[in-house]
Amino acid sequence: MAENTDNVLYLRGRHISNSINAENMDALIPPRRSDKCLWRLLNAGIHLRVRLCLARMDFYGVIQCGPIKYYDNHFLTAIVERWRRETHTFHLTVGEATITLQDVALIWGLNIDGIPITGVDTAYNKHTLQQRCATWLGFSPTSSQIKGAHLYLTSSLDHCLNNMINDQSTEEDVAQYSRCVALMIIGGCMFPDSEGAAVKLMYLQFLEDIELVNTYSWGSAVLAYLYRELCDTSMRLKVDLCGPVQILPSSTGIYLEEQAADVLQGLPFPPYGARWRRGFSWTHTAHHSVRIMRDMLDMMVEGQFLWTVYDMESPSVGTILDGDRNHLCRSACALINFHIVEMHRPERCLRQFGMRQGIPPPATNFDNFHKLTRQGRNNFDWATYHIDFVQMWNDRYNFVIGGNYVIPGTPAITVEYVGWYHRISQIVLSPPVVHSNIMGYHPVDAN
């Protein structure tokens, strides 16, 4: 059953795109950054023993991708304006696209299979949190270094810089140090917090047994977190984008050959995100150009959007996505991160998997779940509260979307899809004054 015109973008009246007008065309949505402590530590250098431990946790791919020195806030703003909470997709002129489990797995090398990140959100007092940090991280933070259930990342940075691992360090020292770095990755990149450079200590429970860390589905938790941040920001519930913005759409780059040395040391082959590590040049980039980005997306036509960006025959891809996990990327399942539950919608963007796109089935209304927060829910068991979605995740392979792969030279979308999509979507976001009547691209009043 296809969706009708009225019930798809039913939240459009509250959407951020409604605030775009001639007086407000250059308003930006900046990303909130929390990763500076992590990269300061990495610049100081961490011992191979720690890097190998992080690789066993499946976190090392995030480090291999390195920092992003500059974010293109204009582009981020333009794509947030096209995110729709109803469908968990970007509505482009050429169809729907989204960030999928495949993207998280290949860009950062995170595990997308395994146990969901959920459970009891235990409300420890500050003294108990200090004891837990002493046990699992090797240091007891001061009272000022803990705010609520958050640990400021500067405390982990100071501890790591003053207690560097060497060849003589004990295995316990290495494990504690590695958990410190892992928390900096979690709080700095994967789940950056609105408190600033801090990490929720509820994630520490998943790091206690080093050998079990990679059995959890960190990738699906990251995607749930990103979806929620995109949903809240696009509905004007936040003024900046707090989330793993490094995995949002980016221009392709080149593979850094020097990272091949990692493989020789027993470390994993760098994920795709490491191939895109390039210096950002402002020489030929327009400033104050959100209206240009918006206008270019408004005028994009079929053939200008690259639906498939990964070489699925590459050996490096095969080491991250084996046969089963490759199928999992097309699972229309629930993504879970404690109180956050978001739906993965591969059926709406099959072209990203090289498949032919037809009219998708109706999307589930998730408005009630967007209202859930952790506030006032001390010692709450989110796994039990979300038991239906946990069960859905456990059955994730039963929700894999099938389809027909596109044969070269044949259409990637059905004729019915084109007419349907133009009826249900909002294609143009720029105010009418921006578009030129002259052939070719002529940005109007772009400073």
Side-chain angles (χ1 to χ4, degrees):
M1 177 183 175
E3 296 163 304
N4 64 45
T5 304
D6 299 322
N7 71 356
V8 181
L9 301 187
Y10 57 87
L11 296 173
R12 70 171 68 201
R14 294 156 48 193
H15 194 261
I16 195 170
S17 59
N18 289 320
S19 66
I20 304 171
N21 53 58
E23 292 75 34
N24 195 33
M25 286 193 295
D26 296 314
L28 292 177
I29 303 171
R32 182 185 290 270
R33 300 197 64 167
S34 303
D35 58 350
K36 293 182 179 179
C37 287
L38 174 65
W39 305 121
R40 280 184 60 191
L41 176 61
L42 269 293
N43 287 336
I46 57 175
H47 198 275
L48 177 60
R49 296 173 67 187
V50 176
R51 288 186 284 151
L52 289 169
C53 191
L54 292 170
R56 296 208 308 275
M57 295 179 177
D58 273 353
F59 288 157
Y60 192 64
V62 180
I63 290 178
Q64 288 173 304
C65 293
I68 297 178
K69 190 173 183 180
Y70 300 107
Y71 286 103
D72 189 339
N73 295 348
H74 308 279
F75 177 69
L76 284 176
T77 299
I79 61 172
V80 168
E81 292 170 350
R82 289 187 171 272
W83 179 262
R84 294 292 176 166
R85 192 170 91 175
E86 304 94 328
T87 59
H88 289 158
T89 57
F90 300 103
H91 278 235
L92 308 172
T93 58
V94 294
E96 293 178 77
T98 194
I99 310 300
T100 69
L101 287 169
Q102 182 185 72
D103 296 309
V104 181
L106 292 180
I107 292 174
W108 267 353
L110 290 174
N111 181 26
I112 58 171
D113 210 348
I115 306 167
I117 302 296
T118 190
V120 179
D121 188 0
T122 306
Y124 296 110
N125 59 42
K126 185 168 291 190
H127 177 66
T128 303
L129 287 175
Q130 290 172 315
Q131 289 181 320
R132 284 180 56 76
C133 288
T135 299
W136 301 114
L137 305 179
F139 77 101
S140 178
T142 65
S143 294
S144 62
Q145 291 173 330
I146 294 178
K147 181 180 180 180
H150 297 77
L151 175 69
Y152 285 114
L153 297 180
T154 51
S155 63
S156 294
L157 173 64
D158 292 340
H159 170 72
C160 289
L161 289 176
N162 293 317
N163 298 272
M164 302 293 280
I165 296 299
N166 54 48
D167 292 341
Q168 286 71 47
S169 299
T170 67
E171 288 299 320
E172 182 179 9
D173 289 339
V174 173
Q176 291 174 331
Y177 195 101
S178 299
R179 292 190 193 97
C180 281
V181 181
L183 274 184
M184 295 173 74
I185 295 172
I186 290 171
C189 298
M190 293 164 57
F191 313 126
D193 194 83
S194 58
E195 289 291 333
V199 60
K200 298 181 181 72
L201 283 171
M202 66 184 184
Y203 294 115
L204 181 57
Q205 61 186 293
F206 302 103
L207 306 179
E208 293 176 5
D209 189 332
I210 296 291
E211 303 307 321
L212 293 181
V213 176
N214 66 357
T215 65
Y216 294 101
S217 182
W218 295 100
S220 65
V222 163
L223 196 55
Y225 198 90
L226 177 60
Y227 279 7
R228 178 58 57 88
E229 291 298 321
L230 285 169
C231 288
D232 287 350
T233 308
S234 67
M235 297 303 294
R236 295 184 281 188
L237 299 177
K238 294 185 177 181
V239 297
D240 53 14
L241 182 60
C242 178
V245 294
Q246 297 94 325
I247 59 175
L248 285 173
S250 173
S251 59
T252 57
I254 55 174
Y255 170 59
L256 299 181
E257 295 184 359
E258 63 266 24
Q259 293 207 41
D262 282 351
V263 180
L264 300 178
Q265 299 180 84
L267 294 162
F269 197 87
Y272 255 81
R275 304 182 182 205
W276 296 338
R277 279 182 61 192
R278 298 174 61 175
F280 196 97
S281 171
W282 296 99
T283 305
H284 303 292
T285 304
H287 296 274
H288 309 293
S289 57
V290 63
R291 67 179 71 180
I292 298 177
M293 296 291 186
R294 187 184 296 126
D295 200 27
M296 291 176 69
L297 291 176
D298 282 347
M299 295 192 291
M300 184 165 53
V301 297
E302 197 67 43
Q304 292 182 328
F305 187 82
L306 185 61
W307 292 97
T308 55
V309 297
Y310 308 112
D311 178 6
M312 300 306 293
E313 303 300 322
S314 167
S316 61
V317 169
T319 61
I320 298 173
L321 290 178
D322 55 25
D324 286 342
R325 293 185 183 185
N326 193 26
H327 291 310
L328 179 59
C329 295
R330 290 185 280 110
S331 178
C333 60
L335 307 170
I336 304 169
N337 186 335
F338 280 97
H339 69 288
I340 299 173
V341 174
E342 301 284 357
M343 287 300 297
H344 190 228
R345 304 290 190 190
E347 72 276 13
R348 308 189 75 90
C349 55
L350 290 175
R351 281 179 284 181
Q352 291 179 231
F353 303 97
M355 293 179 166
R356 195 173 190 223
Q357 182 67 59
I359 299 175
T364 306
N365 186 322
F366 253 54
D367 281 355
N368 289 335
F369 294 97
H370 280 95
K371 299 174 184 177
L372 286 175
T373 69
R374 296 171 56 237
Q375 292 182 345
R377 296 176 185 265
N378 293 339
N379 302 309
F380 199 77
D381 187 349
W382 290 105
T384 300
Y385 186 83
H386 288 316
I387 186 63
D388 291 340
F389 298 110
V390 171
Q391 186 58 51
M392 186 182 192
W393 174 257
N394 291 339
D395 295 336
R396 56 196 175 276
Y397 283 99
N398 293 327
F399 296 99
V400 173
I401 301 298
N404 297 318
Y405 285 93
V406 177
I407 300 172
T410 63
I413 50 177
T414 64
V415 174
E416 294 79 10
Y417 176 83
V418 176
W420 167 84
Y421 181 69
H422 280 260
R423 287 195 306 274
I424 65 96
S425 187
Q426 184 177 357
I427 303 298
V428 177
L429 300 187
S430 298
V433 67
V434 174
H435 291 290
S436 171
N437 294 322
I438 306 174
M439 292 294 292
Y441 184 68
H442 299 271
V444 177
D445 296 328
N447 299 322

